[in-house]
């Protein structure tokens, strides 16, 4: 009996060693397309949020309008949500979506803070790689923000449809395509891409945790 107990104690530490050797930390590396989208979209969203939340100072005639917000004179004529029509009607939708822009942008910056602060350079990779808990927090944050961005943009389009295009229906087809559909459509395409890619990574991580199979190295 003594020999059996001793053999069990000696054998027990070996099992964790074998298991540990097969475990690989879940990792995340954003695509260059994702980083390019952040580089383009975040300054634009900050600019847009400033215009919306500082109205009427940023509108035509306001002391903050020139030179930073002069392009919004044209855009306010294209989309009345951004123009005097909505402001004079005390429409809360414009400022509400601007406030959500601030929240989403803050979440994207949290993602970037984790990425640049904790990401490691790996040979053969074009971007830094996050691993473990920082990777999980960063991906979940960006994934949630992308869902918010996509949902808000879809709502923006739907409110035009269900209001019989009250704010954009006065435009010619050419102006509508180049000044409203294409610019706003980008905020449908790229958040959808992020949701697809990062959602897949989250699923892979959960599958690995539940089956013991190492997560794919993205």
């Amino acid at each position: 009996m003594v020999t059996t107990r001793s053999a069990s104690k000696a054998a027990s530490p070996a099992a964790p060693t074998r298991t540990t050797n097969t475990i690989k930390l879940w990792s995340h590396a954003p695509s260059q397309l994702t980083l390019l989208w952040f580089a383009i979209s975040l300054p634009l969203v900050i600019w847009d949020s400033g215009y919306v939340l500082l109205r009427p100072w940023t509108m035509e005639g306001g002391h903050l309008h020139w030179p930073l917000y002069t392009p919004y004179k044209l855009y306010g004529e294209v989309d009345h949500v951004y123009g005097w029509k909505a402001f004079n009607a005390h429409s809360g939708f414009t400022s509400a979506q601007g406030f959500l822009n601030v929240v989403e942008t803050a979440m994207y910056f949290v993602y970037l803070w984790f990425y640049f602060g904790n990401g490691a350079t790996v040979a053969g990779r074009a971007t830094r790689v996050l691993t473990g808990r920082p990777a999980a927090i960063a991906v979940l944050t960006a994934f949630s923000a992308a869902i918010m961005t996509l949902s808000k943009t879809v709502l923006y389009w739907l409110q035009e449809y269900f209001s019989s295009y009250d704010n954009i229906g006065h435009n010619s087809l050419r102006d509508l395509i180049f000044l409203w559909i294409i610019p706003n459509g980008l905020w449908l395409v790229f958040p959808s891409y992020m949701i697809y890619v990062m959602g897949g990574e989250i699923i892979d991580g959960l599958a690995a945790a539940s089956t013991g199979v190492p997560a794919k190295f993205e």
Side-chain angles (χ1 to χ4, degrees):
M1 292 295 291
V2 174
T3 303
T4 302
R5 285 197 297 271
S6 299
S8 299
K9 291 178 181 178
S12 58
T17 302
R18 290 194 299 269
T19 303
T20 302
N21 290 335
T22 62
I23 292 177
K24 183 177 182 180
L25 288 177
W26 186 79
S27 60
H28 163 73
S31 68
Q32 289 181 305
L33 182 60
T34 298
L35 295 178
L36 177 62
W37 172 242
F38 282 146
I40 295 172
S41 66
L42 291 181
L44 289 175
V45 172
I46 293 171
W47 181 50
D48 184 81
S49 300
Y51 170 80
V52 166
L53 297 177
L54 294 175
R55 294 174 306 156
W57 300 329
T58 52
M59 303 178 76
E60 185 180 15
H63 66 279
L64 297 179
H65 179 69
W66 188 90
L68 186 59
Y69 293 108
T70 50
Y72 277 92
K73 178 183 183 300
L74 171 62
Y75 193 73
E77 295 170 355
V78 172
D79 186 350
H80 289 163
V81 168
Y82 279 76
W84 287 106
K85 176 183 176 181
F87 183 80
N88 292 332
H90 302 288
S91 173
F93 179 80
T94 313
S95 294
Q97 62 92 19
F99 177 80
L100 288 179
N101 281 344
V102 174
V103 175
E104 294 160 21
T105 300
M107 294 173 71
Y108 289 131
F109 273 113
V110 168
Y111 169 84
L112 292 174
W113 181 78
F114 272 99
Y115 172 69
F116 287 107
N118 298 275
T121 302
V122 176
R125 301 290 299 188
T127 58
R128 294 168 179 260
V129 176
L130 280 168
T131 58
R133 185 175 179 82
I137 295 174
V139 171
L140 182 60
T141 301
F143 177 77
S144 301
I147 291 177
M148 291 176 64
T149 301
L150 179 62
S151 300
K152 186 185 83 260
T153 306
V154 170
L155 177 64
Y156 195 90
W157 286 58
L158 288 178
Q159 69 95 19
E160 284 300 321
Y161 174 78
F162 286 110
S163 64
S164 300
Y165 307 100
D166 182 53
N167 295 296
I168 62 173
H170 59 283
N171 292 287
S172 66
L173 181 60
R174 179 179 178 276
D175 287 346
L176 191 63
I177 291 174
F178 288 101
L179 297 177
W180 198 88
I181 293 177
I182 292 177
N184 286 287
L186 296 176
W187 270 264
L188 294 174
V189 174
F190 285 98
S192 296
Y193 165 77
M194 290 176 58
I195 291 168
Y196 174 78
V197 173
M198 293 183 177
E201 293 185 51
I202 292 172
I203 291 173
D204 288 342
L206 292 173
S210 61
T211 61
V213 178
K216 291 190 293 184
F217 189 90
E218 297 294 342

